[in-house]
Amino acid sequence: QVQLVESGGGLVQSGGSLRLSCAASGRTFSRYTMGWFRQAPGKEREFVAGSKWRAGGTYYADFVKGRFTISRDDAKNTVYLQMNSLKPEDTAVYYCAAAQSVTVVEREYDYWGQGTQVTVSS
């Protein structure tokens, strides 16, 4: 199994940047598609970004395109989410997750971290 631990959340001013990290266990990390989700107060959890294993392909939700960048370092078993031009509406708990196929569907992700809080002030 894969264990995931997020870090890097915090309080940022609108327009600022933050880099989230997700450390994953296991020698099979590179076989998984890694995704980032977020859940804002009073809202359902939503897909943010994903990164396919091996090929390195990435995909993003429309509301973060051009602002967020997902990347991964398989040698370090770590996936990152670089968040630039942050807006107050980006405030949420951010979760990393692992899936066995390329997907943006929450239920298809098998492993989840505990989340890290990102707060963007106006």
Side-chain angles (χ1 to χ4, degrees), residues 37-76:
F37 292 77
R38 71 185 187 186
Q39 186 168 24
K43 299 190 68 177
E44 297 296 315
R45 188 157 54 188
E46 61 185 351
F47 173 81
V48 176
S51 179
K52 185 179 182 298
W53 66 280
R54 287 185 177 272
T58 59
Y59 41 102
Y60 299 90
D62 288 341
F63 55 81
V64 302
K65 286 182 178 178
R67 299 191 298 123
F68 291 9
T69 302
I70 187 172
S71 62
R72 62 192 294 167
D73 187 337
D74 289 339
K76 297 180 179 179

Side-chain angles (χ1 to χ4, degrees), residues 40-118:
K43 299 190 68 177
E44 297 296 315
R45 188 157 54 188
E46 61 185 351
F47 173 81
V48 176
S51 179
K52 185 179 182 298
W53 66 280
R54 287 185 177 272
T58 59
Y59 41 102
Y60 299 90
D62 288 341
F63 55 81
V64 302
K65 286 182 178 178
R67 299 191 298 123
F68 291 9
T69 302
I70 187 172
S71 62
R72 62 192 294 167
D73 187 337
D74 289 339
K76 297 180 179 179
N77 288 346
T78 302
V79 62
Y80 306 94
L81 184 67
Q82 178 67 47
M83 304 184 294
N84 299 325
S85 301
L86 284 163
K87 308 173 182 179
E89 51 262 45
D90 294 319
T91 295
V93 176
Y94 284 72
Y95 301 87
C96 65
Q100 297 184 50
S101 62
V102 179
T103 181
V104 301
V105 180
E106 180 179 342
R107 68 177 182 273
E108 295 182 0
Y109 281 78
D110 300 311
Y111 305 102
W112 293 82
Q114 294 300 306
T116 185
Q117 176 70 47
V118 172

